[in-house]
Every structure is written in C-alpha cells, then in structure tokens.
Amino acid sequence: MNIDKSQRAYISSRFMLELDGAETVGTLQSIDGGAFKSDVVEEQVGKEGQATRYPGRPKYDDITVQVGMAMAPRFWNWIKDSFNYDAKRKNGAIIALDYDNHERWRRTFQGALITEVGFPALDGGAKDPAYMTVKFAVERIKEEKPKNEKHKAEQEDQDEWKKQGLWLPSNFTFKMDHFNGDNHLNAKIDAFTVKQSVIECPTGGFLETTKEPGRVEFPKFSITVLQKDAEPWMEWYDQFVRQGLHLPSQEKTGHITYLKRNMKLSEALITLHLHGLGVLGVAPVKHDAKQEQMQQVKVDLYCESIELEPGQGSVPK
C-alpha cells in the first residue's frame, strides 16, 4: 500500500526563514514561541449564577530564533533599520524541511517587528560555535499547508548550512577610535542585548491587535582586558568620571567586526559601530594565588547607539 509521504511523521533536518515572500534569508538553528492564545472573557447574564464565557482577542507569543552570522543582507538590513529607529514590519514564513529536503511544515506571519537582538559573548579562546538570538513580535500567525516539493537545490541548502558554521566567537576584532593603547587586541566582550519596545494598539472592528515600534534600548558593555593593558582605561576613567569631564568630545566610537574563520577583514560578516561610548567603571577580576591565568581587568561602558553594517562575507556568491 502506497502512503502519501506528506502524511508520515518526520524529523526536521533544518529550518529556514523567508521574508517578504522572497527566497529564504538563512538557516535557523532553533525556533521558540509563536503560540496561538486567547484570554477568556466572562459575562454575567441576568440573575443566573453561572457566567457565560467566550474567547477574547487572538494573541500570539513572540517568536524567538537563533541564527548564525551568515544570513542574507535583507535580514541584516531589517535589524539595521530597527537599530536606527526606522523599524520595518515584515511578512514572512518559517519552514521546516525533512532529511530529504522536502518542505513539511510552514507557518506564515504578518507585521513582524523586532523586539530583541542578543549577541553572544566574544572570547579569543573560544572553540565552540555560538549563535545570535533574535526575537520578534507579530500581528498574525497562520499555519499553512506545506508545499509538497523540494526546497531549492539540495546542494545549495547544504552549502548554506555549512556557511552558518563559519563563525566562532573567537573570530572577531574590537577597536576604538582615538584611544591610546592596544588593549583591544586581547579583549573579551560579554554577551549583550539590544531591545526594542513594541506598543499594542487595539483597533475597533479588528480582532488582531496592531503593533507599533517604541523606544530602542541599547545595552551596557563589559569588556575584559589584560592587566598590563589597563592603564589607558584608567586614564580615561580618571578624566571621564573622577574629574567630571564627561563631555560628548570625551566619548568614544567602537567597532566590533565578526569575521569568517579565514579572519579576513575584507570578508567580514557584519560590523557593529558603537557610538557614544562612555566608561562607567574599571575593576580587577578576582585574583587567586598560584592561579594559572593572566591577570585581567573588567571595564564597564555605556553606549548611546549601535549601527549595524552587513559585510561582504554575508553576500551570496
């Protein structure tokens, strides 16, 4: 007896993200959220003790995805616009493929706005891959019937899957303009998250709630440098904090560049330009006698804005 393959149980081989009805913008490492919900509305009628109940407005949980650093430029531009207070709503779909590369599951969404972008910690000694976390709110989600066909050429998907593994958290550079010292050569950067508030705007006559972008909240940064490189940071702290010279002219501009494993700056995946950096504190990392590691100092910084620049390494060949 022949059984329709689309009716069989399956294990997902990979997940893909589509934006604006175009081709996929990259492979997703994981997906969470996007649940269909509704609050219960109770209504007391007449003298009856029992309340009548019915569902309220449909609600959808935010969707959280993990991605590599080799996404298509359209994806990075979506994040870039959000950071620049020019948030764009996106329509798209999340697609699940089986091990034969057939599309088995499709969930479409409308009116997506980015709410959080989490960047992983950076460490020159890291050896395991790390991924970026992106969360977005949606105005509507719908389960669609999957297309009963292979999703692009199989070899292209395999190549794209390998591209996502090109980045390690040790493949980066960090520098600051007009800053004395070469401390950035040995810097470690803690994980950080950029958040965008989303305002819900219920509209009469429509069950789904429209959403508007709100304020963008840029994070504080914690950077760890070697003790021998701490002097320029202490000088900056003395001027900026202890002497009260916290003027815009004393703020710095920093640059974090995410690189492929070949470490070529000309093939950077993305670059984050950190504007309005100011120092908040300089503290020695806990020292233990006879420890087998170099002495380090942690520097806390604030940031007024971040500009994301897609690099040549994320452009499809």
Side-chain angles (χ1 to χ4, degrees):
M1 180 177 63
N2 294 328
I3 300 177
D4 185 359
K5 184 175 180 179
S6 64
Q7 302 302 315
R8 296 177 179 174
Y10 67 97
I11 297 176
S12 297
S13 169
R14 58 181 65 91
F15 298 96
M16 312 295 289
L17 175 65
E18 286 184 0
L19 290 179
D20 294 333
E23 293 185 357
T24 56
V25 295
T27 299
L28 306 178
Q29 300 299 321
S30 68
I31 307 168
D32 191 19
F36 299 82
K37 292 184 176 181
S38 174
D39 293 332
V40 175
V41 179
E42 294 189 357
E43 185 174 337
Q44 190 75 35
V45 180
K47 299 180 180 180
E48 297 181 3
Q50 183 176 358
T52 301
R53 297 180 176 180
Y54 54 89
R57 290 178 179 270
K59 300 167 62 177
Y60 310 105
D61 284 349
D62 291 356
I63 299 174
T64 303
V65 297
Q66 278 192 323
V67 302
M69 295 292 177
M71 303 292 284
R74 288 198 314 278
F75 179 81
W76 298 124
N77 287 330
W78 186 26
I79 298 177
K80 177 182 178 180
D81 291 339
S82 180
F83 287 4
N84 291 341
Y85 292 93
D86 189 23
K88 301 289 195 307
R89 292 180 181 82
K90 293 290 184 180
N91 300 331
I94 296 174
I95 305 160
L97 308 179
D98 62 19
Y99 277 89
D100 291 329
N101 228 38
H102 279 86
E103 185 176 310
R104 300 296 300 275
W105 175 83
R106 172 180 285 266
R107 177 173 286 184
T108 60
F109 56 83
Q110 295 179 350
L113 288 170
I114 293 175
T115 59
E116 289 187 14
V117 180
F119 294 89
L122 302 174
D123 184 349
K127 298 179 180 179
D128 296 326
Y131 303 99
M132 190 172 72
T133 301
V134 179
K135 180 185 289 188
F136 51 91
V138 297
E139 294 182 345
R140 177 180 294 182
I141 306 176
K142 184 179 181 181
E143 293 280 354
E144 299 280 359
K145 185 176 181 181
K147 300 177 182 177
N148 189 20
E149 58 185 24
K150 278 199 172 185
H151 192 269
K152 301 194 308 181
E154 185 173 0
Q155 185 59 44
E156 290 181 11
D157 277 339
Q158 290 178 352
D159 291 343
E160 203 280 335
W161 178 260
K162 292 177 182 178
K163 283 176 59 180
Q164 296 294 349
L166 288 175
W167 184 78
L168 294 175
S170 56
N171 297 344
F172 77 99
T173 64
F174 171 71
K175 65 177 182 178
M176 292 201 306
D177 298 337
H178 310 295
F179 186 76
N180 296 326
D182 295 329
N183 54 80
H184 56 270
L185 298 177
N186 301 301
K188 299 178 183 179
I189 303 175
D190 290 355
F192 57 93
T193 301
V194 180
K195 298 182 179 181
Q196 158 121 29
S197 62
V198 172
I199 304 168
E200 294 193 0
C201 303
T203 305
F206 296 93
L207 289 178
E208 279 86 2
T209 301
T210 59
K211 298 182 178 182
E212 297 290 339
R215 182 182 298 274
V216 180
E217 179 182 342
F218 294 103
K220 297 177 183 178
F221 290 87
S222 290
I223 301 174
T224 303
V225 300
L226 295 178
Q227 177 74 52
K228 70 179 185 65
D229 297 323
E231 183 176 353
W233 296 97
M234 283 303 308
E235 291 177 354
W236 187 22
Y237 176 83
D238 286 340
Q239 296 176 0
F240 200 75
V241 180
R242 295 179 64 183
Q243 299 178 28
L245 301 178
H246 43 79
L247 304 173
S249 60
Q250 296 296 319
E251 293 178 336
K252 308 294 183 183
T253 299
H255 312 274
I256 303 175
T257 302
Y258 298 79
L259 302 172
K260 291 183 177 181
R261 293 190 181 183
N262 60 20
M263 297 297 286
K264 292 183 179 179
L265 288 173
S266 61
E267 297 183 13
L269 296 170
I270 61 171
T271 299
L272 299 181
H273 303 289
L274 316 176
H275 300 287
L277 286 175
V279 62
L280 295 173
V282 182
V285 176
K286 180 182 177 182
H287 295 173
D288 291 323
K290 299 181 180 179
Q291 63 180 358
E292 296 182 357
Q293 66 180 27
M294 296 182 180
Q295 300 300 324
Q296 298 175 326
V297 170
K298 176 168 286 190
V299 182
D300 294 326
L301 306 169
Y302 67 77
C303 177
E304 293 183 346
S305 66
I306 298 177
E307 178 187 356
L308 187 150
E309 178 186 354
Q312 291 299 315
S314 64
V315 178
K317 299 293 185 181

